[in-house]
Amino acid sequence: MPGVETVVETVAGDRLWQWRQAACQSAIAQQVNPAEVDWLLQHGAGVAPLLLKLGPPFPPEISLSRSLADLTRLWQARLRDRVPVQYLVGRVPWREFDLAVSPAVLIPRPETELLIDLAKSAALHHGLPLNEPRHWADLGTGSGAIALGLASVFPLATIHAVDRSEPALAIARQNADTAGMGDRIQFHQGDWFEPLAPLAGQLQGIVSNPPYIPTSDLTHLDPEVVRHEPHAALDGGPDGLDCIRHIVHTAPRYLKPGGLLLLEMMAGQAPAVAQLLSKTGQYATVQIHPDLAGIERFAVSVRRR
C-alpha cells in the first residue's frame, strides 16, 4: 500500500480478532465471501496481510487507519445494501497501482490485467517498439486502469484515454496523477473514436474492455453489480456485441498498418467476436486468448499492412 497510513485508532489484538470472526460469520450468513473481511481490513484499515494470514493470536495492540466503528458501519453497508467493498473503501489494487474507484466507474477486475501483458507480448511478437514515442488508445477507460497499464509497459508512448463520462474521467485523471503518469496520458471525453479523429491512421494500438453483457442479462447479475456499478459500462446491447462490433469495424481507420487491436469479452462470445474480426478483411491475424480461469476472454488482432 503506497504512502504512510495515518493511525486513526489503536485497538486490542483480541478485540480485532473477535470483530473479524463476527464479521466472517455474518458474511457466511448473508452469502458474501468471508475473504472480503480481510480485504476490508487490509485495504480499508491498513492491517498487514501477513498479520491476517498468521493470526491468531494477534499482537496485543494493532494500529488502524480507520476506526473499528467506521469499519463496522462499512461492513453493515456491505451486507445490507450489497455495496461492493471496493466502493466502500474507495480504492482497489490493480497490477502495481492503487486505484481510486467510485460508482462512476466499473471496478477493475483482476482478469483485465492480462490485457496489458497481451499488449506487450503482441507488440514484441509483431516487431512493434516498446520504447518509441507511439500513440495507444484505451477506449472506455473508466478508472483509467488500462491506460495506466499501457503507460507502464510502453514508457515512451502517449496514451489516449477515452470515456463519455466526465465523472469517470475525473477518477481516471486522479489515478494518473497519483501514479505520476498524468503527463503521459491524454484524456478525451466522447464516444469511442469521436475525440480521436486527428489521430486517424496513427495509433500503434487500441485496447478496450467495452460493455459486453446482453441487455436482457443485466437483471440477472449479482446485486453488487446491477445495483451499484454503472450500467453504461455493462450494457452491450441485445446480443452484448454492439460496442465490440463498432470498435471492430472502426478501428482499422485509426490503426497504423500492423497496429494492434485488443478486446475483452465475456464467456461464450469468442466465436462471434473472431468472426466479426475476420469478416472485415482488415485484420491479418485474429487470436483468442484465455484468462487465468481458462475462459476465452481476449481477442488480439493485427491491422493489415
Side-chain angles (χ1 to χ4, degrees):
M1 193 175 297
V4 177
E5 296 284 353
T6 301
V7 176
V8 170
E9 182 178 68
T10 300
V11 300
D14 58 353
R15 183 183 175 205
L16 184 62
W17 174 257
Q18 291 166 6
W19 186 93
R20 178 179 182 265
Q21 292 300 95
C24 287
Q25 290 301 317
S26 64
I28 294 169
Q30 296 293 325
Q31 296 183 321
V32 170
N33 187 347
E36 291 191 18
V37 176
D38 283 356
W39 196 99
L40 178 62
L41 289 171
Q42 180 182 345
H43 299 287
V47 179
L50 184 61
L51 187 151
L52 294 167
K53 183 177 181 181
L54 296 179
F58 280 176
E61 291 188 338
I62 297 175
S63 296
L64 303 178
S65 60
R66 194 184 301 260
S67 71
L68 205 55
D70 196 21
L71 288 172
T72 299
R73 179 185 61 81
L74 292 177
W75 190 244
Q76 289 173 346
R78 173 72 187 96
L79 300 181
R80 181 185 64 246
D81 303 324
R82 283 301 201 263
V83 182
V85 68
Q86 295 92 335
Y87 287 156
L88 292 172
V89 173
R91 63 199 292 183
V92 62
W94 195 85
R95 290 183 72 90
E96 69 266 38
F97 306 105
D98 186 61
L99 301 177
V101 293
S102 80
V105 301
L106 198 71
I107 297 167
R109 267 59 172 184
E111 58 267 25
T112 303
E113 296 182 10
L114 291 176
L115 267 177
I116 307 304
D117 299 317
L118 287 171
K120 181 179 180 179
S121 61
L124 290 171
H125 180 74
H126 293 285
L128 304 180
L130 301 186
N131 293 294
E132 290 187 9
R134 303 300 176 103
H135 294 278
W136 282 74
D138 169 20
L139 301 181
T141 193
S143 66
I146 289 174
L148 286 169
L150 291 173
S152 71
V153 297
F154 300 104
L156 299 182
T158 298
I159 313 300
H160 300 271
V162 180
D163 206 290
R164 69 168 67 176
S165 166
E166 183 54 45
L169 286 173
I171 294 287
R173 289 189 186 97
Q174 175 185 340
N175 285 325
D177 289 340
T178 299
M181 294 183 176
D183 60 339
R184 298 275 319 285
I185 302 173
Q186 295 184 13
F187 296 94
H188 309 267
Q189 185 178 10
D191 284 337
W192 303 118
F193 295 92
E194 287 178 358
L196 302 181
L199 291 169
Q202 298 181 47
L203 296 178
Q204 186 76 79
I206 297 168
V207 183
S208 184
N209 177 19
Y212 50 62
I213 298 173
T215 304
S216 60
D217 289 356
L218 290 176
T219 56
H220 304 298
L221 298 175
D222 291 338
E224 288 81 356
V225 177
V226 72
R227 292 185 198 171
H228 300 285
E229 299 204 59
H231 278 216
L234 299 167
D235 190 348
D239 63 354
L241 297 175
D242 280 3
C243 300
I244 290 176
R245 192 176 288 112
H246 174 70
I247 294 170
V248 164
H249 284 96
T250 311
R253 298 205 298 270
Y254 289 82
L255 286 169
K256 296 165 64 75
L260 300 171
L261 173 63
L262 294 94
L263 296 168
E264 182 170 329
M265 64 195 121
M266 72 179 290
Q269 290 179 335
V273 172
Q275 186 179 42
L276 282 172
L277 288 159
S278 297
K279 288 183 71 173
T280 66
Q282 297 293 317
Y283 301 97
T285 63
V286 177
Q287 295 181 327
I288 301 297
H289 295 268
D291 61 18
L292 294 178
I295 297 170
E296 293 184 322
R297 177 76 63 184
F298 311 104
V300 179
S301 302
V302 181
R303 169 83 161 86
R304 288 192 182 279
R305 296 185 181 273

